[in-house]
Amino acid sequence: MKSILGVTAAIVVSGGLSGASALAMQDEVTTPAGRIYTTIEGSEIRFSADGELRPDGDGGQFASGSGYYSQDMGFCTAHVEMSWDIQVDSDGNGTTRLDTSKNTCAEMDPYLEEVSFDASDCIHGWDSLEIGERAPVCWASIDLTRQN
């Protein structure tokens, strides 16, 4: 399992998008909860709307959840499981962590070997892509389109 830690300068406040997960909207934590992205090839990265958001006991917030990347390879399905957590202290400074694990099919694919899921590059919290916007995101190293 790969574990990456990254210290963020500040976790940005999520905009008021209708239909967005309450987990992604509360206090000063912007999270990937409930978000869906697509790659140029049409593969999906989905983050569960379920998760946890709670005070950390020192005036800050802690959020966590899970997601996955899946791509049909014809002879098998490449699958990358993801879990994330974001810790924000009372001053708005935070740490974002993204853990990933790949199945055998994903490990065999050269494309997926080059795709890194690494939250250490997210210096301003989670990505700020709006729905329908395509851009490289800090944690995926590839262009993604946010679907919701």
Side-chain angles (χ1 to χ4, degrees), residues 37-45 69-73 75 78-80 102 104-117 134-137 139-145:
Y37 300 85
T38 56
T39 65
I40 293 172
E41 295 80 17
S43 300
E44 283 192 342
I45 299 172
Y69 170 89
S70 188
Q71 179 178 341
D72 182 9
M73 307 294 288
F75 55 92
H79 198 77
V80 179
K102 298 178 184 181
T104 304
C105 184
E107 290 172 350
M108 293 186 319
D109 183 66
Y111 171 74
L112 286 175
E113 284 301 312
E114 292 181 12
V115 172
S116 66
F117 296 102
R134 173 174 291 281
V137 297
W139 51 272
S141 75
I142 53 175
D143 280 6
L144 296 177
T145 301

Side-chain angles (χ1 to χ4, degrees), residues 79-96:
H79 198 77
V80 179
E81 292 287 334
M82 301 178 200
S83 63
W84 57 268
D85 63 57
I86 299 172
Q87 172 69 48
V88 181
D89 68 19
S90 59
D91 295 328
N93 301 311
T95 302
T96 301

Side-chain angles (χ1 to χ4, degrees), residues 21-24 32-35 47-52 66:
S21 168
L23 179 64
R35 291 188 181 189
F47 290 94
S48 172
D50 299 329
E52 177 184 20
S66 62

Side-chain angles (χ1 to χ4, degrees), residues 15 37 53 62 72 86 130 133:
Y37 300 85
L53 178 65
F62 175 83
D72 182 9
I86 299 172
E130 298 295 327
E133 185 178 8

Side-chain angles (χ1 to χ4, degrees), residues 4-76:
I4 304 294
L5 289 177
V7 177
T8 61
I11 300 296
V12 294
V13 177
S14 178
L17 300 173
S18 62
S21 168
L23 179 64
M25 302 285 292
Q26 187 172 342
D27 297 321
E28 302 224 356
V29 180
T30 298
T31 75
R35 291 188 181 189
I36 300 171
Y37 300 85
T38 56
T39 65
I40 293 172
E41 295 80 17
S43 300
E44 283 192 342
I45 299 172
R46 289 183 169 266
F47 290 94
S48 172
D50 299 329
E52 177 184 20
L53 178 65
R54 62 178 166 77
D56 68 1
D58 290 322
Q61 293 287 327
F62 175 83
S64 64
S66 62
Y68 68 89
Y69 170 89
S70 188
Q71 179 178 341
D72 182 9
M73 307 294 288
F75 55 92
C76 65

